[in-house]
């Protein structure tokens, strides 16, 4: 017996006799407007509580028309307004309560372009070598060694981005446990392989004729990077037998 579709917080319930769609059919309906949509993306949005499709006794997802419209609304909020999922969920919940929601105007650039810095990490887009050394709290010889192993790479003009500080601090912290730069090459290689997978997903979006779709590629890159980081951390904990916090 099918359970009543919830379609996420605040979503309508399917009417009696309303045909329900498989996840593949939903993908086909959304793909014209959202070329980058995938089954994994739909599953991710479900895992984040943004849609709750029905389930058959054997576990297959079944989506109502309300579920499909809700998914489309979520994707538009991401594409057109670059809203994080938490804000999108709050907006949809407010709509479900009948409240008026004022969305921000379309952004000219993705909010994801703003780096998420750690506390105490400079947020400037560029910094000189002396600034990096001071922010990371390391000396010239250490930075030279890290650069020789490719753990930190300066920009073409010799400057560094804010992410270099985060990497420098993490490499320094690992060094306190006896892990040297040569030991960390395997982590760098793994990161490059993960970046390659993300690039395979977003490349078609960047080449799309629709400028909004091309802009959405940056938001998608950030989301995939976050998911990849979480998966990597979970796999390392699992391999070490460490329970999650």
């Amino acid at each position: 017996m099918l359970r009543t579709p919830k379609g996420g917080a605040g979503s309508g319930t399917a009417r009696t006799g309303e045909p329900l769609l498989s996840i593949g059919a939903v993908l086909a309906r959304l793909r014209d407007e959202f070329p980058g949509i995938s089954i994994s993306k739909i599953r991710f949005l479900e895992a984040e509580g943004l849609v709750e499709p029905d389930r058959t006794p054997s576990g297959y997802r079944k989506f109502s028309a309300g579920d499909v419209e809700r998914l489309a609304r979520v994707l538009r909020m991401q594409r057109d307004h670059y809203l994080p999922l938490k804000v999108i969920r709050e907006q949809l919940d407010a709509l479900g309560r009948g409240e008026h929601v004022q969305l921000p105007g379309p952004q000219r650039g993705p909010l994801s372009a703003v780096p998420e810095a750690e506390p105490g990490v400079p947020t400037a887009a560029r910094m000189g070598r002396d600034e990096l050394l001071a922010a990371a709290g390391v000396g010239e010889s250490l930075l030279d060694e890290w650069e020789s192993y490719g753990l930190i790479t300066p920009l073409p003009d010799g400057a560094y981005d804010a992410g270099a500080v985060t990497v420098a601090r993490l490499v320094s912290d690992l060094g306190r446990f006896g892990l040297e730069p040569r030991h960390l090459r395997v982590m760098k290689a793994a990161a490059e392989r993960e970046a390659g997978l993300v690039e395979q997903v977003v490349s078609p979006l960047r080449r799309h004729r629709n400028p909004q779709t091309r802009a959405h590629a940056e938001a998608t890159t950030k989301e995939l990077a976050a998911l990849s980081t979480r998966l990597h951390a979970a796999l390392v904990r699992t391999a070490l037998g460490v329970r999650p916090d």
Side-chain angles (χ1 to χ4, degrees), residues 160-205:
Y160 299 85
D161 58 26
V165 180
T166 300
V167 172
R169 289 184 173 180
L170 291 171
V171 171
S172 180
D173 289 342
L174 288 168
R176 298 192 186 103
F177 294 89
L179 292 175
E180 300 176 9
R182 60 189 176 88
H183 299 138
L184 304 180
R185 287 182 298 182
V186 64
M187 296 184 181
K188 182 177 186 296
E192 290 173 346
R193 287 195 295 270
E194 291 171 17
L197 290 174
V198 172
E199 187 63 29
Q200 289 179 25
V201 175
V202 299
S203 287
L205 302 181

Side-chain angles (χ1 to χ4, degrees), residues 138-160:
V138 299
E140 286 271 3
S141 59
L142 269 181
L143 182 56
D144 287 340
E145 184 180 12
W146 296 344
E147 289 181 346
S148 70
Y149 282 97
L151 298 172
I152 293 179
T153 304
L155 299 172
D157 61 357
Y160 299 85

Side-chain angles (χ1 to χ4, degrees), residues 48-222:
E48 292 294 314
L50 289 162
V51 65
E52 296 178 16
D54 197 357
R55 293 275 188 162
T56 67
S58 55
Y60 290 103
R61 295 170 176 82
K62 291 295 181 180
F63 295 79
S64 68
D67 293 328
V68 178
E69 177 53 38
R70 183 179 176 90
L71 280 169
R73 181 171 289 178
V74 169
L75 294 169
R76 290 186 194 108
M77 287 181 177
Q78 284 190 307
R79 181 193 65 195
D80 300 340
H81 304 280
Y82 302 100
L83 297 178
L85 294 182
K86 179 182 178 182
V87 175
I88 291 175
R89 188 183 299 109
E90 292 170 353
Q91 299 272 22
L92 293 177
D93 288 346
L95 287 171
R97 294 190 298 268
E99 300 175 10
H100 175 70
V101 171
Q102 181 65 46
L103 290 173
Q107 303 291 327
R108 293 189 179 274
L111 298 180
S112 59
V114 180
E116 294 181 353
E118 295 180 350
V121 174
T123 56
R126 300 160 60 83
M127 68 186 73
R129 187 175 181 85
D130 290 340
E131 292 175 287
L132 173 60
L133 292 171
V138 299
E140 286 271 3
S141 59
L142 269 181
L143 182 56
D144 287 340
E145 184 180 12
W146 296 344
E147 289 181 346
S148 70
Y149 282 97
L151 298 172
I152 293 179
T153 304
L155 299 172
D157 61 357
Y160 299 85
D161 58 26
V165 180
T166 300
V167 172
R169 289 184 173 180
L170 291 171
V171 171
S172 180
D173 289 342
L174 288 168
R176 298 192 186 103
F177 294 89
L179 292 175
E180 300 176 9
R182 60 189 176 88
H183 299 138
L184 304 180
R185 287 182 298 182
V186 64
M187 296 184 181
K188 182 177 186 296
E192 290 173 346
R193 287 195 295 270
E194 291 171 17
L197 290 174
V198 172
E199 187 63 29
Q200 289 179 25
V201 175
V202 299
S203 287
L205 302 181
R206 289 173 174 159
R207 296 194 300 265
H208 201 272
R209 288 177 296 178
N210 188 328
Q212 288 185 331
T213 299
R214 293 198 300 270
H216 181 56
E218 300 308 315
T220 302
T221 300
K222 181 178 180 180

